[in-house]
Amino acid sequence: MNEIRIGLFGFGVVGQGIYRVIRRATNAHASIERICVRNLAKPRAVEVDPSLLTDNPDSILDDPDINLVVEVVDDPEASYRFVTEAIRRGIPVVSGSKAMIARHLPELIELQRKHSTALLYDASSCGSIPVIRNLEEYYDNDLLLEVKGILNGSSNYILSRVFDHGEPYDQALTRAQQLGFAESDPSFDIEGFDSLFKLIIITVHALGVYISPERIFTYGISSISDSDIRYAREKSMKIKLVAQVVKVSADRFTMFVMPEFVTPSRYIYSVDDEYNGVVIRGECYDRQFMFGKGAGSLPTASSILSDVMARRHGYRYEYKKMDYVDRPDYTTDVPLKIYMRYPDSDFLQSIPFTRITEHYTSADYNYVIGEIPLSRLIEIRDRLSDKNVFIANFPQFFLDLDD
Ligand code: HSE
């Protein structure tokens, strides 16, 4: 590819960042030829030649001069249509649409193979941190045991403001929206679904296995209270929203998204504000840590630029791990140790703990710490969405194969 001529779908926070970054990147030999938006009249922070704008997707898809589609549309259904149509026409695509990719990845992989073209999406997971391509290429061996970390900038920003600056939760959420970190529906951030989508994509590139969203336990931070924060503080811990995919035996792995107690000795303890932090653990090398801005216009655009450059060299994901014979099986038959704030004794009795190790009750605050299988948490997840309930995981080593 000599000159990269980009058709850009989406011109919101990330799209405008891409416009600025591509103009700066002279080595990319890339230019944005057309920008497809939903509303031509909408005022935008970045000044752009109006002749570049269109509201007709076909004026990109039908243009034979455009040789790369970049898609950052804030609407999973529209994004699915644009991406699949481009691939069907053999046009390579760079996308940041994690919700769409996480829901449709098996089909998107098939389409890429069928039409001999590429879909790159490092920007979909952890903003500026190069997670996907590293997992796909460098960690292409049997040693990988775990990928775990803070994958959502907005919820981490909120927790940082609340823990470190004593700000009210709602004020921190509003600020995360103003700064352009949060999704247009911020419940995706704070209920853990944004982290979940990224975790699904990461798992495909980490272990070669696709698990659909509804099979994965996902719990966010929306019901966190002052009592939970005080409990963590008194024990010199922070609470972070953590997503993890982890091998629990030689041939099985589990994955979930849940708030977690984090002690100062952990790398992710000092991952604050909109930063993300990803810990990769493996046999022989113990732990590695990747840290960087996980949300925001320019950090995400930098990752898109990296994928644009990768296309210069014809790079595509090969999904090699999906063809390996010894892929691990997904299990939720895993014992967890959790903290649960609960409203009353009837509620507590309905929770199938296998063992309770600590129990506190008072006039305005009750909690237990106990063991419960992940599979049982999935069964009772509707009950856990009560505002008077909050759960957080105590991290544990599931598997140590270092001897
Ligand atoms: N809303 C997302 C976040 C944006 O806060 O991490 C980046 O994916």
Side-chain angles (χ1 to χ4, degrees), residues 98 152-154 181-183 189 194 198 294-295:
K98 57 240 156 163
N152 178 264
S154 303
F181 305 149
E183 300 300 299
D189 297 296
D194 183 79
K198 293 165 180 170

Side-chain angles (χ1 to χ4, degrees), residues 198-209 211 245 253 255:
K198 293 165 180 170
L199 184 66
I200 290 170
I201 298 169
I202 282 172
T203 301
V204 165
H205 292 276
L207 300 179
V209 185
I211 306 295
V245 50
F253 75 97
M255 58 201 288

Side-chain angles (χ1 to χ4, degrees), residues 218-289:
T218 305
Y219 195 84
I221 59 163
S222 65
S223 65
I224 196 169
S225 75
D226 291 345
S227 312
D228 309 317
I229 291 163
R230 202 167 47 241
Y231 172 88
R233 271 215 192 102
E234 276 168 6
K235 304 209 161 19
S236 305
M237 300 185 292
K238 289 182 182 174
I239 296 171
K240 299 281 191 188
L241 183 58
V242 172
Q244 53 196 300
V245 50
V246 46
K247 282 182 82 173
V248 295
S249 68
D251 52 11
R252 292 184 318 152
F253 75 97
T254 195
M255 58 201 288
F256 54 92
V257 178
M258 216 191 303
E260 183 158 302
F261 291 110
V262 181
T263 56
S265 65
R266 300 281 167 195
Y267 291 121
I268 57 173
Y269 183 86
S270 5
V271 175
D272 288 326
D273 297 326
E274 79 274 27
Y275 281 83
N276 285 186
V278 182
V279 179
I280 293 177
R281 195 165 70 85
E283 288 176 66
C284 308
Y285 54 80
D286 191 20
R287 256 166 279 190
Q288 296 165 346
F289 180 50

Side-chain angles (χ1 to χ4, degrees), residues 6 11 44 111 126 210 218 228 276 278 310 331 354:
I6 296 171
F11 204 48
R44 294 166 218 279
L111 270 181
C126 304
Y210 172 80
T218 305
D228 309 317
N276 285 186
V278 182
T331 181
T354 40

Side-chain angles (χ1 to χ4, degrees), residues 100-385:
M100 184 281 284
I101 294 167
R103 287 199 180 105
H104 297 284
L105 199 42
E107 182 196 344
L108 293 167
I109 293 170
E110 246 341 279
L111 270 181
Q112 290 175 71
R113 288 189 173 138
K114 188 166 167 204
H115 297 279
S116 304
T117 191
L119 168 65
L120 300 184
Y121 41 78
D122 225 308
S124 69
S125 302
C126 304
S128 64
I129 310 179
V131 178
I132 303 298
R133 218 178 313 151
N134 271 310
L135 286 171
E136 178 72 18
E137 306 301 342
Y138 180 83
Y139 296 92
D140 182 19
N141 55 54
D142 290 333
L143 303 179
L144 190 65
L145 296 177
E146 177 177 315
V147 182
K148 167 174 181 173
I150 296 168
L151 311 185
N152 178 264
S154 303
S155 56
N156 200 50
Y157 179 86
I158 294 166
L159 290 173
S160 296
R161 301 312 294 181
V162 170
F163 265 87
D164 301 335
H165 304 273
E167 268 178 33
Y169 179 96
D170 289 339
Q171 184 179 312
L173 169 58
T174 306
R175 191 84 188 108
Q177 289 174 291
Q178 286 165 347
L179 290 167
F181 305 149
E183 300 300 299
S184 49
D185 175 356
S187 66
F188 277 91
D189 297 296
I190 59 180
E191 302 297 359
F193 295 107
D194 183 79
S195 303
L196 169 70
F197 296 142
K198 293 165 180 170
L199 184 66
I200 290 170
I201 298 169
I202 282 172
T203 301
V204 165
H205 292 276
L207 300 179
V209 185
Y210 172 80
I211 306 295
S212 56
E214 61 286 350
R215 296 182 63 201
I216 303 164
F217 183 73
T218 305
Y219 195 84
I221 59 163
S222 65
S223 65
I224 196 169
S225 75
D226 291 345
S227 312
D228 309 317
I229 291 163
R230 202 167 47 241
Y231 172 88
R233 271 215 192 102
E234 276 168 6
K235 304 209 161 19
S236 305
M237 300 185 292
K238 289 182 182 174
I239 296 171
K240 299 281 191 188
L241 183 58
V242 172
Q244 53 196 300
V245 50
V246 46
K247 282 182 82 173
V248 295
S249 68
D251 52 11
R252 292 184 318 152
F253 75 97
T254 195
M255 58 201 288
F256 54 92
V257 178
M258 216 191 303
E260 183 158 302
F261 291 110
V262 181
T263 56
S265 65
R266 300 281 167 195
Y267 291 121
I268 57 173
Y269 183 86
S270 5
V271 175
D272 288 326
D273 297 326
E274 79 274 27
Y275 281 83
N276 285 186
V278 182
V279 179
I280 293 177
R281 195 165 70 85
E283 288 176 66
C284 308
Y285 54 80
D286 191 20
R287 256 166 279 190
Q288 296 165 346
F289 180 50
M290 291 199 256
F291 169 78
K293 284 199 173 177
S297 177
L298 293 178
T300 311
S302 74
S303 183
I304 294 274
L305 175 64
S306 182
D307 276 350
V308 169
M309 291 299 279
R311 280 309 304 160
R312 279 199 77 73
H313 307 290
Y315 179 77
R316 54 190 296 174
Y317 306 134
E318 289 177 57
Y319 303 99
K320 297 182 284 272
K321 294 177 197 178
M322 295 192 103
D323 296 325
Y324 290 173
V325 280
D326 285 336
R327 289 184 305 161
D329 292 323
Y330 176 54
T331 181
T332 57
D333 186 15
V334 176
L336 297 182
K337 180 182 171 189
I338 64 161
Y339 158 102
M340 177 181 286
R341 173 167 51 80
Y342 67 93
D344 51 48
S345 55
D346 282 354
F347 182 91
L348 182 60
Q349 271 170 13
S350 76
I351 304 300
F353 278 106
T354 40
R355 196 157 84 96
I356 286 184
T357 52
E358 195 176 320
H359 194 170
Y360 172 86
T361 56
S362 71
D364 56 355
Y365 171 45
N366 312 312
Y367 74 80
V368 289
I369 292 171
E371 288 167 18
I372 188 165
L374 178 60
S375 54
R376 304 307 299 272
L377 279 183
I378 292 176
E379 282 164 20
I380 59 162
R381 57 180 151 193
D382 289 348
R383 251 178 276 165
L384 302 175
S385 55

